[in-house]
Amino acid sequence: GGAGASSGKTADGLTKVKVAPDWIAADITWIPYTVGISNGFYKAAGLDVSLVPPPDNSSSVKIVASGQADIAETTLTDQVFAAKQSLPVISIANLSQTNNWGFFTKTGAKLASPAALKGMKVGVFDDAWTKAMLGVVLRKAGLKATDIQQVTATDSDIPLLIAGKIDVATNTTNFGPPSYAEKTGAQPETMPATGLGAPDIPIWNYAASTRWLQKNPDLARKWLAATAKATEWAIANPDAAVKAYEAYHKLKPSGYATDLAEWKATVPLLKGSTGLFTATDGQWTQLTQALVAAGQLDKALPPSTYYTNKYIG
Amino acid sequence: MTDTKLTIDGVEVRFGEALALAETGLEVKNGEFITFVGPSGCGKTTLMNVVAGLQRPTSGRVLMDGQDISGRPGHVGYMFQKDLLVPWRTVTGNIVLGAALTGRATNADRADARELARRYGLGDFVDHYPHALSGGMRQRVALMRTLAFHKDVLLLDEPFGALDAQTRLEMQQWLLQVWADSGRTVLFITHDVDEAVFLADRVVVMSPRPGRIQAIHDVGLPRPRTVDTLLTPDFMELKSQVLAGLYHHMEG
Amino acid sequence: MTDTKLTIDGVEVRFGEALALAETGLEVKNGEFITFVGPSGCGKTTLMNVVAGLQRPTSGRVLMDGQDISGRPGHVGYMFQKDLLVPWRTVTGNIVLGAALTGRATNADRADARELARRYGLGDFVDHYPHALSGGMRQRVALMRTLAFHKDVLLLDEPFGALDAQTRLEMQQWLLQVWADSGRTVLFITHDVDEAVFLADRVVVMSPRPGRIQAIHDVGLPRPRTVDTLLTPDFMELKSQVLAGLYHHMEG
Amino acid sequence: MKAVRLATPLFAVLLVAAVWQLAVSVFKVPAYVLPSPSQTWSALGDDWTNIRSLAAQTLYESAIGFLVGAGIGFALAVAMAHVKIAHRVLYPILIATQAVPIVAIAAPLVIILGYGLAPKLVIVGLIVFFPVVVNVLDGLSGIDAGMVNLARSMGAGPVKIFLLIRLPATLSPLFSALKLGAAYAVTGAVIGEWTASITPGLGKDLLLKNSRLDTAGVYADVLLLTAIGIGGFLLMTILERVATPWRTRSTARRWFRR
Amino acid sequence: MKAVRLATPLFAVLLVAAVWQLAVSVFKVPAYVLPSPSQTWSALGDDWTNIRSLAAQTLYESAIGFLVGAGIGFALAVAMAHVKIAHRVLYPILIATQAVPIVAIAAPLVIILGYGLAPKLVIVGLIVFFPVVVNVLDGLSGIDAGMVNLARSMGAGPVKIFLLIRLPATLSPLFSALKLGAAYAVTGAVIGEWTASITPGLGKDLLLKNSRLDTAGVYADVLLLTAIGIGGFLLMTILERVATPWRTRSTARRWFRR
Ligand SMILES: Nc1ncnc2c1ncn2[C@@H]1O[C@H](COP(=O)(O)OP(=O)(O)OP(=O)(O)O)[C@@H](O)[C@H]1O
Ligand SMILES: Nc1ncnc2c1ncn2[C@@H]1O[C@H](COP(=O)(O)OP(=O)(O)OP(=O)(O)O)[C@@H](O)[C@H]1O
Ligand SMILES: [Mg+2]
Ligand SMILES: [Mg+2]
């Protein structure tokens, strides 16, 4: 593994920073980067930011650990397993602050209780977050993993739900309902996981390689600051932000309404009581305890092994 | 025993426009050994295919024991120039192929096949696959297969063409013995005039464009015939007659 | 012209334990046409391979014009039983193969090849690929290739074995003409005694186990020889002598 | 001789393992990038009871898909050999099926076919059937016409000719295709599991381990999948020897002497 | 005759389109599950300027990977044909490479090889090289030993014998492999793009469209990818005709008469 991907300089004196997002293809959580790039926020901070999508939705931390990228957009669960496997990565900021993960059913087909999941076909993703939350919810509901039929979706499970191939989709409020609405013109029934015993903790975060951080603490700070600026701008100008995002990724304008709906549903998740980014010990402790309880993690490490706030602000 | 076994009656074969075999007639006596010589393309194989029922004649018919068998295969034993042994069947399996193809090869068929192989010097090879046999042995198995098909008439199309001179001579003598044992009627194609004269009761010389019978020579040489027969003046005389007929159009 | 061209001097070949060719000696005169007959496995091809330098003799040596050429290929033109035409080269390309393999086939080489093809009746086929030729034509091209390799000694290993009787006779006459035109020395293997006698100045009869020369017959028949030669008493007499030698061990 | 024949593949395995181990050691590759053979081996051992049943599932999918693909391929080849127009029309379509990137149509397949065995069979079958068609067609067209004429001259009907003459001639090329198909089938099963699975198999397990950043576990699964593929290949090699004894033996086996 | 030869593949294309359209209409399949041919076609047209440059990128990756795979395959075959021990040791390894589920090792490859062309070349190459090795080995071992002896008898050295006798004998089987490889290469490029792409190509575009539930767009991409694969196949067919004229012609082409 080469460790030399970082810290090159471009011809006009900018420092290169490579970001590995959390998904193989562009989605609206990439809006801050594209706004940061197209509005020149990164450039103003002396950074030349480029995106290197991971080979699958679990590998962005590996990309960073192996030096193929400098900063990863990932999930808290990935960070926990990365620490378990001794990957040299640490979370430097929360991307979102609330748990908007949950279950979605067709319009008018609301589930009475989590116990109703028994025997149902449930769409799942092959990432650690879904596994973790599903584990927690099922345990609280007194169900075993084998009590439901888990159907893996390669990309989105919403089409499977609409087509009636699954009974329940697992998704997040900023992605599930907008795409359901786009195809059906109606809203799906939502059952948030936080109401079923799941902790209200962030889903997504930014992580970086500890080696890179040691060498480039300023770069990390500058990048977070510029990203914060871009995020604030995108919150204030949702239409323009979505247009910039679509233009940057050459997306068909036919998806504009959905993209905008998704971004608008994302905005409320971004800030906690202390605004953007800041993480707390409690968030990480809740997550690791839930994982241990669900039998997916053997032991919880101190929160400081998972995250740091020292590059924020 | 000397009644007519086979009648080729005004048989003519065209492929589209081309006349492969002009109107041809021949009466073959029961137990007779007839050889056919003639240059490539003179219709020898075509004539055999007609007799075998593989090729329907454009006109004319073939009678066996007075019955019309034109276009109806399965009445004669036909051995092709190539041995055409089936690679995935043993020697026994190949010998009983006719039975297997037309019904079921019974244990009795297989016992007969083994007996035949033993009688003619292939007793140690009954369970061998063809690829493990020499060219002469393969040819012998092909002939046994034709015999085991139990038909009164055998058509042999250049059966020894691929063999070297010595093996060929051995095979010729073996064939004569088999023929003497079984008393069947044989039509035998060859390019080798020595072979044609050595084996035959009658030698049929054919010529091409269009294919037709040009001459028929009676061979009066006494049987059994051996290597010495090849050196007798009578043999030489007959051979030169056949040769002269065969090549007379080349000298123009 | 009558000095010794080739001397096979005490050549013996063993494959492991097996003695394929017992100590053999032969002097070949310049421009002489020698044919070899003998049953399969008597070492005819082995002897040719030794002369061609493809097979190093276990003992003994081969001299050409007094020079030892044992184990050194490239001194003779060698034509194998199969025509071995290279499928991806045209007739011209095949004729110049020797030049191409040993250096570069020049335009002059190609012009010569076309001239050769024209002279011997293949003028219309110089740009044809081998698959488009008949068996006789292919064999002729193979022989031209051997001629165009410009060596004084030609080794021909059953060159006409695959042809039918009539084509074969044509090829024999053509070969005699080529030989007369070029005055080269020819060693020619065949299984056909007629052919051996018809072509040769001397017929070498070989016998197996171990392979060795058994007899050498001088053929005094006048040249040029034609189809009629085959029917002369002298020819018949010579043939019966060769045959008798060839098969005498079969009659025991 | 037999010892040597067995020794060289073993040597090859050791060679690969040695190169792999050496590369990891010399370049100090961290385990989350590429685990060493020994780490992979012990990951395989640690999780063996779990992995074993998953492997059984994947094996099952590959095997059934393989059989379906081979069967359809064989039937198509026979049809195409006998019906000229079928050959002409189907051949370009068959080529096209191979040019379609299967990974790209896997997801839509699920929506159409559901999560059962069906989409996996389609994916594995699509991979396996093509070499079978091509090779069996080759075998059928390579039959000596003389042999068929011989059978006809004996008065045999088309069914007997097919069973006794044509069919056995396809066995050798068929097995060449089956050997390849057996090796490829596992890849098909993995793609199938990724896109359309309820019952967990190795392909699914691989994803799970990947999501937990358990690289050694991922490689352990890959190792096992590869072993299944090679096992299939070897099984076909053995079946080939049994089904076409005339290619390797001089005499028929005793219990097969007829 | 030539018209018929061109007409049947065209007919095949129309047949597929007709069956597809009919299936969609009869079963009332919604467009987000399976768009009709016409919807797919118009999706292709709508996005054409964008798709065109993506297709160029994917074509580039497939082509380079194809060349690398074919080159390595050819070199390996020649080495294995001449060095017996290389054959013995490499053959089982080559079989093993085909049993490895490529989709499963694609992700680790990126982490090792990065985002450049390298991982794509490895993936495409792994798919393409194997049939080339097998077929070229076949070609080399199928050479009439007599032909080599003939060349030796003329005093030719091993290099000349290789160039003039052995090499041309491999062309026909080589092209059989290349035709297949050209069709498969695109699948390799798609897998490569999915796992390791910064420069966008059709494979990546397909993912993007899939995530946006633009099924017609996905099928448009698949259609184009399939067309590229078939195009590669046809190109190899034409090259084969040019490179091996003796297989289809009686006489050499005029400009090639020597
Ligand atoms: N199926 C066919 N279609 C068209 N022409 C044919 C067919 N079979 C044979 N012919 C032609 O009929 C003529 C006679 O062919 P046939 O095979 O009977 O000759 P032959 O005497 O057996 O020759 P050979 O000695 O070479 O075997 C030839 O001109 C041949 O080209
Ligand atoms: N490379 C070899 N290794 C072992 N034995 C060989 C080899 N080449 C030939 N022999 C043996 O040497 C003997 C002579 O063979 P050779 O090919 O010279 O015979 P031949 O007279 O040319 O036979 P034919 O008429 O069948 O061509 C045979 O017993 C043969 O099996
Ligand atoms: Mg014939
Ligand atoms: Mg010989």
Side-chain angles (χ1 to χ4, degrees), chain D residues 94-129:
Chain D
L94 299 190
I95 302 284
T97 63
Q98 299 306 295
V100 175
I102 294 182
V103 280
I105 59 156
L109 268 186
V110 182
I111 298 191
I112 300 170
L113 297 175
Y115 312 101
L117 212 50
K120 285 163 214 157
L121 298 193
V122 170
I123 293 170
V124 177
L126 261 176
I127 295 177
V128 172
F129 95 100

Side-chain angles (χ1 to χ4, degrees), chain B residues 164, chain C residues 13-16 18-21 38-49 55 81 157-158 189-191 206 211:
Chain B
D164 71 74
Chain C
V13 179
R14 283 175 189 277
F15 294 111
L19 183 58
L21 192 65
S40 203
C42 72
K44 302 182 297 293
T45 298
T46 303
L47 182 58
M48 290 300 140
N49 285 343
Q55 172 73 50
Q81 170 158 18
D157 190 353
E158 293 192 58
I189 296 180
T190 177
H191 270 118
M206 296 182 66

Side-chain angles (χ1 to χ4, degrees), chain E residues 153-165:
Chain E
S153 85
M154 287 169 156
V159 175
K160 280 279 185 176
I161 292 182
F162 182 76
L163 290 177
L164 270 70
I165 307 292

Side-chain angles (χ1 to χ4, degrees), chain B residues 40-41 43-46 81 157-158 189 191:
Chain B
S40 203
K44 303 183 295 294
T45 298
T46 303
Q81 171 159 18
D157 191 353
E158 292 191 61
I189 296 181
H191 269 116

Side-chain angles (χ1 to χ4, degrees), chain C residues 33 69 188:
Chain C
F33 200 125
I69 57 163
F188 185 110

